[in-house]
Amino acid sequence: MTSFNRETLPDAVRTNGATPNPWWSNAVVYQIYPRSFQDTNGDGFGDLKGITSRLDYLADLGVDVLWLSPVYKSPQDDNGYDISDYQDIDPLFGTLDDMDELLAEAHKRGLKIVMDLVVNHTSDEHAWFEASKDKNDPHADWYWWRPARPGREPGTPGAEPNQWGSYFGGSAWEYSPERGEYYLHQFSKKQPDLNWENPAVRRAVYDMMNWWLDRGVDGFRMDVITLISKRTDAAGRLPGEAGSEIEDLPVGEEGYSNPNPFCADGPRQDEFLAEMRREVFDGRDGFLTVGEAPGITAARNEHITDPANGELDMLFLFEHVDFDCEGVKWKPLPLDLPRLKSIMAGYQTAVANVGWASLFTGNHDQPRVVSRWGDDSNETDRVLSAKAWGLVLHMHRGTPYVYQGEELGMTNAHFTSLDQYRDLESLNAYRQRVEEAKVQSPESMMAGIAARGRDNSRTPMQWDGSAYAGFTAPDAPVEPWIAVNPNHAEINAAGEFDDPDSVYSFYKQLIALRHSDPVVSAGDWELIDAADPHVYAFTRTLAAAPGVTGGRLLVVANLSGRTVDLPSDASALVAAGVTEPQIAIATYGASHAVVSLANRELDPWEAVVVRL
Ligand code: GLC
Ligand code: CA
């Protein structure tokens, strides 16, 4: 086993409820989107060798774990989230040898590697699906096959088994002329849903997971893992199917009904996760499991991540990144900070005694936080607001996830024409909402995609100010698969690395603080000044215990671009006055923070952590 350089928290400190404390209880995870990270062979796509070549940068940042978005063999309909062979690497990214080399080089540096596990669905080009088209094949029941609606001509509009829409546009059913039936796909039609009711499917998934763990990977981020158990009636019929005892929901403005209430957190969710734990993880250690969990409430998070239930270590919940829109993400609303604070408080308090939270504002499906809730319109506010949001997130209790480029304060793409986008979600949504259902104007939809589209976080990593930002091979620079943000001339790793005032250096400090201070990683979390519209304030408290000095931290962050008063609860806590050595970290530096707190005000985007 590789040796890892971080010290696990002593068991006298309570984290998720497990004893001994899990190794990851004070860890920070960094997400890599391989196709946009580093290209080494000059084809314009990032690759595994590119990741290996940047490990020293990641080790310097101080993160503990790297999560790779999918690098398996894939037709790339959804950038690798459509897998045609789970036990091979897509040639776009390299080879299994490259993967072994990455694992070895990462482990040498004390970095763990977590792979994406996409098993709600496969690619329609997976051998299992090909075989499944034959009703007499042993794989016949590995997917959700259903006949056409009785009395309708199979394959014609209206003959779909029910009215469910796909998250990527159109019906969630696709007709297969070979089989003469429809298959369910919650995502694109090239992503057919696996039938988890079938034990042979589950066995194949667990075998594959064991194969990767035996090869040296350190865990999995499980793609939409809370969509695997679907609600059916006693006869196995889905809602709205002919003869089903379960009624479907009414269709929405785009002409389809929403499968989510019937597919998210379904009746066998806990059973499947506990079975996976037993079949794959029991008897192993040093691993991490994190489930992507659309439709999961804070209360259910407590159950699933309670170690006593043997399911998953942590989940990604979505309410905090889904609420700031008018019904659909393409109609964004400005941030309502008190609402965000109350959602976060719900997450934090649900796992105050057992279970665990993961902490994120960004990933490959979300816009950049600095553009979304900060201010990327000028350099001063960009740097300040990127630091303020980073500080707020990292001072919560849980495991922080840093999405590639977030540590540089990378911004949204700011594309202005549809042909600059690559993501099937944005392109299909435009077609469906603007051209087919005509429920949103072209201007409004373009603004929606610019604000919330997934390509915002998928532009190439900005390594330096050279052509294509140092993303493609330096000796053979070639146009990347998606445009580099022109602001790479000012925002890039080379410029930030040695600058003590950069966003990069600030993230380094935030990560180090979690490693060194158990109050940050494990202290109780309490929201104060909940109603304040601009300031996010909370405390972190840890009781002293054998081998642990306890302590209390006050976190205050002005998440607006104007000077504001320090709200009352926070004011009361600093009433006795604060000195420079008490400032653990601050966006404007310690001496500035002391003056601000004495004056009972915070400058634009000023955020401070005080040791009380
Ligand atoms: C998850 C992934 C997203 C993908 C979808 C379907 O939400 O994060 O990128 O498109 O699942 O696999
Ligand atoms: Ca490449």
Side-chain angles (χ1 to χ4, degrees), residues 38-48 91-93 471:
Q38 177 69 66
D39 174 25
T40 56
N41 64 346
D43 64 357
F45 293 88
D47 40 53
L48 289 174
L92 192 64
F93 300 119
F471 164 70

Side-chain angles (χ1 to χ4, degrees), residues 78 81 121 168 187 191 221 223-224 292 364-365 454:
D78 185 19
Y81 283 89
H121 44 266
F168 292 159
F187 294 90
Q191 294 167 298
R221 173 269 186 188
D223 191 68
V224 294
E292 191 199 18
H364 64 294
D365 297 328
R454 306 194 299 179

Side-chain angles (χ1 to χ4, degrees), residues 67-96:
W67 147 31
L68 310 189
S69 276
V71 290
Y72 311 88
K73 201 153 192 296
S74 160
Q76 303 291 327
D77 183 53
D78 185 19
N79 293 358
Y81 283 89
D82 49 315
I83 297 168
S84 55
D85 185 348
Y86 290 108
Q87 286 168 237
D88 205 354
I89 299 294
D90 196 86
L92 192 64
F93 300 119
T95 62
L96 276 171

Side-chain angles (χ1 to χ4, degrees), residues 24-29 288 314 316 356-360 396-401 514:
W24 46 257
S25 56
N26 61 359
V28 177
V29 184
L288 173 74
M314 60 188 95
F316 296 127
W356 198 244
S358 56
L359 309 169
F360 75 97
H396 281 77
R397 187 168 189 273
T399 299
Y401 286 71
R514 176 165 298 265

Side-chain angles (χ1 to χ4, degrees), residues 58 61 102 146 175 185 254 269 316 338 368 429 465 489 497 571 607:
L58 299 165
L61 181 59
L102 170 59
R146 289 294 184 275
Y175 183 66
H185 59 89
E254 294 171 32
Q269 185 72 54
F316 296 127
R368 296 283 184 178
F497 198 76
S571 269

